[in-house]
Amino acid sequence: MTAQTFTAQMSAFKDGWRLYVVLMDTTDPWPEFGFDRAAPVPTFTERVNALSVLGFEPVPGAEWEWTEYSADPDDPSTAVTLLAAMRVRSWTEGQA
């Protein structure tokens, strides 16, 4: 069976970074991993390890893409939030 692909995202949430995999067309909770720290930003290796715990791996050739956004884009003094995204695939499907 071919593994499905998904988007993994990572953002700063409350007092720490969290990584989660977006599951569309379902009411199931999204797989999530908390890093329990605000700084430093989790390394690439830490992120891959977190994905592995959740049953996912990066799609070959995929890279993290970073975006910044604010609650009020028309107000340049609003705090900026960073969001990272990467295509991942499930490696748990079809395993016994």
Side-chain angles (χ1 to χ4, degrees):
M1 174 182 271
T2 304
Q4 288 184 281
T5 60
F6 304 90
T7 299
Q9 294 182 334
M10 189 177 76
S11 62
F13 181 73
K14 296 185 181 177
D15 292 329
W17 287 93
R18 69 180 181 134
L19 184 147
Y20 49 92
V21 179
V22 178
L23 303 178
M24 304 303 283
D25 302 322
T26 183
T27 57
D28 292 340
W30 292 354
E32 183 176 324
F33 184 93
F35 291 96
D36 298 325
R37 69 173 194 256
V41 175
T43 66
F44 178 82
T45 300
E46 289 174 314
R47 289 178 249 157
V48 170
N49 290 341
L51 285 169
S52 179
V53 167
L54 299 176
F56 297 87
E57 65 185 357
V59 170
E63 296 181 2
W64 287 97
E65 296 180 20
W66 290 87
T67 304
E68 65 177 50
Y69 65 94
S70 64
D72 183 356
D74 295 326
D75 180 358
S77 66
T78 304
V80 171
T81 301
L82 291 174
L83 176 71
M86 170 190 259
R87 293 299 294 165
V88 297
R89 65 184 179 192
S90 169
W91 54 263
T92 58
E93 289 185 15
Q95 292 184 356

